[in-house]
Amino acid sequence: MSLLAVESLVVAHGDLVAVRDVSFNIEEGGVFVLLGANGAGKTSILRAISGLNPPRSGTIASDGRNLAGLKPHEVAAAGIAHVPEGRRVFPHLSVEDNLTVSFLVRRTNLKLAQARDNVYALFPRLAERRRQNGGTLSGGEQQMLAIGRAMMNFPRLLMLDEPSLGLSPLLAETVFERLGEISKLGLTILLVEQNAIALRLATRGLILTNGQVVLLGEVSALQDSEFVRHSYLGL
Amino acid sequence: MSGLLVGGVYGILAVGLSLAFGVMRIINFAHGELVMYGMFAGVVASRMLGIDPLLILPISFLVGALIGVAQYQIVFRHFVGQATLQQLLAAIGCALVLQMIAQLIFGADARTATSIFSGQYIVFGPFFLSKAQIVAFVIAASTTLAVSLLLNATAWGKAVRAVADDVEAAEIVGINSSTVNIGAFALSAGLAGLAGTVLVTYFPVTPVIGFSLMPMIIIACTIGGLGSLGGTFIGGICCGVIQQITAMMWNSALQDVPLYVLLLAFIAWRPTGLFGSRVE
Ligand SMILES: Nc1ncnc2c1ncn2[C@@H]1O[C@H](COP(=O)(O)OP(=O)(O)OP(=O)(O)O)[C@@H](O)[C@H]1O
Ligand SMILES: [Mg+2]
């Protein structure tokens, strides 16, 4: 059974159909990348999976368990973490409290402080800023916090929506490096990106255009695709 | 000086409203009715059971919280995140129903309750102060402090503030925002109930008192900043002090006039109040 199985997914915002008939499976391990231009429907897919935007039709299952109708916090409890577009850290909570409130699901035997220390080990920068409010962090630090927050629930699948958006190339590089480390720890990653660096990290993926899958497969196939050559390599 | 004491009670009356707004963006126009039930709880204790109203504060809190949860389940949960006109009308409807029920149970007459401090005064320098008001202020201030601690130092309180900051983000990290909302609303309503019982030790209650308390509650919230609990409490104190000064210097019949002017000024120039609108 797949860690995540998306079948004939349709997502609509009112009359606008943002995602049409999208199907893909993610197996345990590795980085699955979801590429697409602005407005392709990437965020809509992630929000449907995490229960923020219930789909119009189609099924989403994790290890055979149907996620339809679950509230976002129940999806989180099922081991699917979502690092949302725009980071969305809690601006008036300290870094430490951002992590603390993200530890309610208890998917681990670790104590709160140990879980936080794991995150601080991954992002030492956050440890230095632990008393600072989320809203006063730099964009890169907020992204680290958003990822760290998602790690607090010890998810099986970590979904990230354009983590490099708005970051300097150097910072984006750092974030992707950390994601590589997280992936090596055995955590499966679903990475939504427009940034071509994502391909270096990925094992499999798909390309989305106008809400539809135009290519699904190994990362080598994606790299050779016209979409990637055209958008990222300028060919 | 007695303006300060009265203002502290305005503060605690307003803190609950401010909390519900900060977390859920709901303005509970029936907040004054929750206060009214807290006041009647004090009357029942004092007149029928012969118990000092100040001893039943936990029960008053529960009375307020229970009515609040009923309000939330029936009305407000449909309006979370939207302080719309419909929400206001629903809240006013809610207030009228609560008034009617009180009228049926308690009748329309003004009732009072007496605590061991009622009707006693102490002289403090040039001031002549009601003991009931001093006690009321102390309870109001310490309750506000306790709520602030609850929100800032406990896991539940932090979850409440997370929901206030960003409901969606709170949900995706695993916080059940519906239960957090019910809890926060119950706390808000419980505070109103508790404040009512404190108030009735020096101020008589009628079933329609809610609507006469509401302007002061709103002004306190506007000055302090809807959502900011400490700010709201200070806003309440400002109201009490300004009222008192106006009554002394000018005319007690016009004591609320500067407050309304101030309300308009804040709405025009600083709608987020002195302390902004974040929950803390
Ligand atoms: N809440 C909404 N209401 C109405 N339309 C929406 C809403 N959210 C998204 N859309 C529309 O759905 C389509 C897909 O949007 P989506 O955010 O999923 O794209 P995306 O691939 O994440 O784009 P980007 O790379 O810019 O983040 C777009 O046409 C967008 O305008
Ligand atoms: Mg997007």
Side-chain angles (χ1 to χ4, degrees):
Chain A
M1 250 176 286
S2 305
L3 180 54
L4 185 76
V6 174
E7 189 68 47
S8 314
L9 182 72
V10 178
V11 184
H13 306 286
D15 288 339
L16 189 138
V17 179
V19 175
R20 304 162 200 274
D21 197 25
V22 164
S23 303
F24 62 94
N25 284 352
I26 297 180
E27 308 303 330
E28 193 106 43
V31 177
F32 188 98
V33 68
L34 209 162
L35 288 176
N38 286 116
K42 306 179 295 297
T43 299
S44 301
I45 291 177
L46 289 201
R47 289 175 60 89
I49 295 169
S50 67
L52 288 170
N53 274 357
R56 175 172 287 182
S57 62
T59 59
I60 301 167
S62 176
D63 277 332
R65 178 181 176 204
N66 190 355
L67 301 181
L70 292 192
K71 295 268 175 55
H73 69 266
E74 294 166 323
V75 175
I80 297 178
H82 184 175
V83 179
E85 188 171 61
R87 314 183 257 271
R88 308 278 289 266
V89 301
F90 302 114
H92 300 116
L93 296 191
S94 66
V95 166
E96 186 130 318
D97 287 349
N98 264 273
L99 298 178
T100 303
V101 296
S102 308
F103 190 67
L104 298 172
V105 172
R106 306 279 153 129
R107 291 175 41 81
T108 164
N109 292 325
L110 291 187
K111 296 253 180 302
L112 169 64
Q114 294 172 309
R116 274 194 314 235
D117 286 344
N118 279 345
V119 173
Y120 290 146
L122 201 58
F123 299 112
R125 187 63 177 235
L126 293 180
E128 292 165 26
R129 301 257 183 271
R130 64 176 81 198
R131 304 258 162 262
Q132 201 170 316
N133 273 2
T136 64
L137 298 178
S138 75
E141 290 163 350
Q142 287 190 2
Q143 192 62 60
M144 294 171 198
L145 181 54
I147 297 172
R149 200 172 62 171
M151 301 287 290
M152 289 296 284
N153 285 329
F154 291 77
R156 297 185 58 204
L157 176 67
L158 179 64
M159 310 193 293
L160 304 109
D161 197 341
E162 299 200 46
S164 70
L165 193 73
L167 302 191
S168 70
L170 195 69
L171 259 174
E173 187 75 34
T174 316
V175 166
F176 283 121
E177 230 167 70
R178 289 297 173 281
L179 289 181
E181 287 166 27
I182 291 172
S183 161
K184 286 209 189 73
L185 295 173
L187 188 59
T188 312
I189 292 179
L190 166 52
L191 178 59
V192 162
E193 264 300 344
Q194 299 193 49
N195 192 327
I197 324 177
L199 285 170
R200 295 212 317 249
L201 217 60
T203 42
R204 280 169 57 77
L206 65 75
I207 292 171
L208 199 67
T209 305
N210 289 329
Q212 282 172 310
V213 178
V214 292
L215 190 66
L216 171 68
E218 299 301 317
V219 73
S220 51
L222 300 188
Q223 251 149 358
D224 292 340
S225 73
E226 198 184 331
F227 176 86
V228 170
R229 286 150 56 99
H230 187 77
S231 334
Y232 301 122
L233 309 174
L235 299 177
Chain B
M1 189 71 189
S2 85
L4 179 86
L5 300 180
V6 172
V9 176
Y10 292 153
I12 185 82
L13 292 178
V15 159
L17 186 85
S18 201
L19 173 68
F21 179 81
V23 178
M24 287 160 273
R25 305 284 134 178
I26 284 172
I27 297 188
N28 182 6
F29 259 87
H31 194 73
E33 277 57 45
L34 297 167
V35 176
M36 178 262 291
Y37 278 95
M39 295 177 85
F40 274 119
V43 171
V44 169
S46 156
R47 297 282 174 239
M48 293 166 71
L49 308 173
I51 304 171
D52 194 294
L54 296 178
L55 294 178
I56 66 147
L57 290 182
I59 295 172
S60 311
F61 183 91
L62 271 180
V63 168
L66 284 176
I67 301 174
V69 168
Q71 269 189 336
Y72 181 83
Q73 289 295 350
I74 297 168
V75 180
F76 290 112
R77 80 193 155 91
H78 306 292
F79 296 102
V80 169
Q82 39 192 40
T84 56
L85 183 61
Q86 285 89 329
Q87 187 257 297
L88 279 181
L89 293 176
I92 290 170
C94 203
L96 294 173
V97 170
L98 288 172
Q99 286 179 10
M100 225 137 61
I101 295 172
Q103 190 124 359
L104 288 175
I105 303 176
F106 303 107
D109 297 338
R111 310 283 200 93
T112 55
T114 44
S115 80
I116 46 167
F117 304 107
S118 299
Q120 295 180 34
Y121 293 86
I122 56 169
V123 180
F124 179 76
F127 304 111
F128 193 63
L129 300 174
S130 146
K131 271 196 191 167
Q133 285 183 359
I134 295 174
V135 171
F137 179 85
V138 171
I139 293 174
S142 45
T143 307
T144 304
L145 205 65
V147 173
S148 171
L149 270 178
L150 180 69
L151 288 176
N152 288 290
T154 70
W156 181 78
K158 287 170 186 176
V160 170
R161 286 162 56 220
V163 171
D165 261 359
D166 189 333
V167 197
E168 284 193 350
E171 277 278 342
I172 57 174
V173 300
I175 298 172
N176 183 343
S177 63
S178 322
T179 54
V180 164
N181 283 343
I182 295 179
F185 202 87
L187 176 59
S188 149
L191 288 172
L194 181 146
T197 302
V198 174
L199 182 63
V200 81
T201 61
Y202 66 84
F203 199 84
V205 55
T206 68
V208 294
I209 192 157
F211 279 173
S212 50
L213 293 172
M214 216 47 202
M216 198 60 67
I217 292 175
I218 302 257
I219 294 171
C221 289
T222 309
I223 294 177
L226 253 178
S228 158
L229 304 192
T232 300
F233 187 74
I234 293 170
I237 291 180
C238 293
C239 286
V241 170
I242 293 169
Q243 249 188 357
Q244 180 77 17
I245 291 173
T246 319
M248 269 170 16
M249 309 258 223
W250 191 19
N251 183 340
S252 64
L254 299 175
Q255 62 177 5
D256 291 345
V257 172
L259 290 178
Y260 289 108
V261 174
L262 203 61
L263 175 66
L264 293 176
F266 266 92
I267 289 172
W269 289 298
R270 202 174 158 86
T272 54
L274 293 174
F275 298 88
S277 61
R278 72 177 138 187
V279 175
E280 57 183 14

